[in-house]
Amino acid sequence: MSTGTLLAIIIPIVAVVALALVAAALVTRRRRLRERFGPEYERTVDEAGGRRAGERELRAREKRHDSLDIKPLPSSSRDRYAREWTGVQEEFVDQPEVAVHDADRLVTSLMHERGYPTEGFEQQLKDLSVEHGRTLEHYRAAHEVETLSTGRKATTEQLRGAMVHYRALFDELLSNGGRAKHAHA
């Protein structure tokens, strides 16, 4: 067999293998992002206007998150936050709107102490999405009701729902979301 014939056979085979490896890497990366971000994956892809742009956004979030100093809480802080949450829940009976505002403040304080920046709600969502993508919808829903309650437009049932939503993220943050930054590195 001539060298030309051999090259005509080998080059297409190498090209097909290389394309298969690239495709496999893309599928693996997509699966990893879906698993890590949960429902936030589809939301981000939709908002970004496409899979490539959405995945680029999610990778940027991961990179920013990796630069943060997210840390577990000492047990004394966890106990203090748990006591404060109990107080907020008790406050709900007599002052539901105030309790929802206090729940928002408490979640923000907990985020800050864990090492999350708290400079704005949208950035909070992005930063939380990396480790807490599955509970992020709770935070969105709670925040929406909290905003309504500022204008006294939230019903008692909406306020009750907001407390449940805040509790979902609060519990996850309080328990360190199952891990601290150092644990997944």
Side-chain angles (χ1 to χ4, degrees):
M1 209 180 288
S2 74
T3 305
T5 305
L6 225 65
L7 287 175
I9 294 171
I10 293 173
I11 290 174
I13 291 173
V14 169
V16 167
V17 168
L19 285 173
L21 289 173
V22 168
L26 289 173
V27 167
T28 300
R29 183 172 63 185
R30 181 168 294 146
R31 185 178 317 120
R32 186 188 63 75
L33 287 171
R34 280 181 188 268
E35 288 171 4
R36 182 163 201 185
F37 286 92
E40 189 66 13
Y41 176 89
E42 290 301 329
R43 174 188 271 281
T44 304
V45 166
D46 289 345
E47 287 177 358
R51 194 162 310 284
R52 284 178 110 180
E55 289 178 356
R56 191 171 33 252
E57 163 67 21
L58 293 172
R59 285 190 308 274
R61 290 182 191 184
E62 285 180 319
K63 187 175 181 178
R64 174 181 160 91
H65 186 273
D66 288 346
S67 73
L68 300 175
D69 185 24
I70 307 301
K71 54 196 170 292
L73 290 175
S75 61
S76 60
S77 291
R78 280 196 311 275
D79 293 345
R80 177 177 45 85
Y81 276 108
R83 283 190 308 274
E84 286 184 49
W85 182 264
T86 300
V88 169
Q89 285 182 305
E90 290 169 357
E91 179 181 47
F92 185 84
V93 174
D94 295 321
Q95 299 177 301
E97 287 178 338
V98 173
V100 167
H101 293 297
D102 287 347
D104 181 69
R105 177 199 52 76
L106 192 58
V107 166
T108 302
S109 175
L110 177 54
M111 287 171 51
H112 180 73
E113 189 165 338
R114 288 280 319 274
Y116 287 97
T118 55
E119 67 260 13
F121 182 69
E122 289 303 317
Q123 189 59 55
Q124 287 175 5
L125 289 174
K126 289 177 182 181
D127 291 337
L128 286 168
S129 71
V130 177
E131 293 293 333
H132 306 283
R134 299 193 188 290
T135 54
L136 209 53
E137 207 49 48
H138 288 286
Y139 190 41
R140 277 191 182 94
H143 184 75
E144 186 178 311
V145 173
E146 195 269 341
T147 301
L148 282 174
S149 75
T150 300
R152 298 196 169 279
K153 295 178 183 172
T155 66
T156 303
E157 196 53 41
Q158 287 173 314
L159 294 168
R160 188 180 334 281
M163 291 294 291
V164 170
H165 290 306
Y166 276 127
R167 181 67 189 246
L169 180 59
F170 178 84
D171 284 346
E172 193 168 297
L173 286 168
L174 193 64
S175 69
N176 299 326
R179 62 189 167 275
K181 178 180 176 181
H182 312 327
H184 77 271

